[in-house]
């Protein structure tokens, strides 16, 4: 049977959950396909997969901050309404808890953040966006079922 190694190409079901519940869960849908080391999973999560065999299921508990680092307050940024208008729909209204996607400067990818505040005294139309991973600074439960490994 194949064993998960660094650089393995994997097909698996997995679940990442924090104290508030699931963030990602592929068990009810089609499995994920990824390559270890490509950055699709955090290094701490990938490390837990090493040595698992095809057909094996495992659950791991990761300490607060181990999976996605500590919550970094510098990753919260105010985004001006002008930039939001330039990047999207000028009529869009934003709400706390909403996920907002932004294009990278080269336009080749996107990144996302969560709206934590709408408006402030200086700029009532700006939004405060938290670009930390939703599980940063939290304990994480990682469950995996390895379907195939190459």
């Amino acid at each position: 049977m194949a064993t998960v190694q660094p650089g393995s190409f994997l097909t698996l079901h997995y679940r990442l959950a924090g104290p508030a519940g699931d963030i990602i869960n592929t068990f009810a849908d089609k499995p994920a396909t990824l390559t270890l080391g490509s950055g699709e999973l955090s290094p701490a999560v990938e490390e837990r997969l090493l040595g698992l065999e095809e057909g094996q299921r495992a659950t791991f508990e990761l300490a607060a901050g181990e999976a996605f680092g500590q919550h970094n307050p510098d990753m919260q940024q105010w985004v001006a309404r002008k930039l939001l208008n330039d990047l999207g729909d000028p009529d869009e209204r934003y709400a706390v808890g909403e996920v907002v996607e932004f294009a990278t400067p080269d336009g080749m990818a996107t990144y996302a953040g969560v709206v934590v505040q709408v408006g402030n005294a200086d700029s009532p139309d700006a939004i405060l966006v938290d670009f930390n991973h939703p599980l940063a600074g939290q304990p994480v439960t990682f469950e995996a079922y390895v379907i195939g490994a190459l």
Side-chain angles (χ1 to χ4, degrees):
M1 232 184 270
T3 302
V4 178
Q5 302 294 321
S8 287
F9 183 73
L10 299 176
T11 300
L12 74 162
H13 279 294
Y14 72 97
R15 180 179 73 92
L16 283 173
D22 288 357
I23 296 293
I24 298 171
N25 187 340
T26 70
F27 283 95
D29 201 5
K30 61 182 180 181
T33 301
L34 53 90
T35 302
L36 285 191
S38 66
E40 294 174 78
L41 296 173
S42 79
V45 170
E46 286 190 359
E47 183 179 306
R48 298 317 194 275
L49 291 169
L50 296 174
L52 295 179
E53 295 180 345
E54 285 182 345
Q56 189 173 356
R57 185 181 209 128
T59 301
F60 304 98
E61 301 295 328
L62 289 89
E66 183 182 0
F68 299 99
Q70 295 301 323
H71 188 269
N72 181 350
D74 292 336
M75 296 286 290
Q76 290 188 353
Q77 300 291 319
W78 282 100
V79 180
R81 185 68 208 199
K82 180 180 179 339
L83 179 60
L84 295 168
N85 292 348
D86 291 346
L87 296 175
D89 180 358
D91 296 324
E92 180 76 30
R93 297 290 166 240
Y94 300 93
V96 172
E98 180 179 355
V99 175
V100 180
E101 273 196 17
F102 297 90
T104 56
D106 63 7
M108 300 301 289
T110 61
Y111 58 99
V114 176
V115 177
V116 293
Q117 185 178 332
V118 177
N120 63 28
D122 295 328
S123 185
D125 289 335
I127 59 173
L128 181 61
V129 180
D130 187 347
F131 293 104
N132 284 284
H133 188 281
L135 292 173
Q138 298 183 41
V140 170
T141 300
F142 173 61
E143 179 183 358
Y145 170 61
V146 179
I147 297 167
L150 296 173

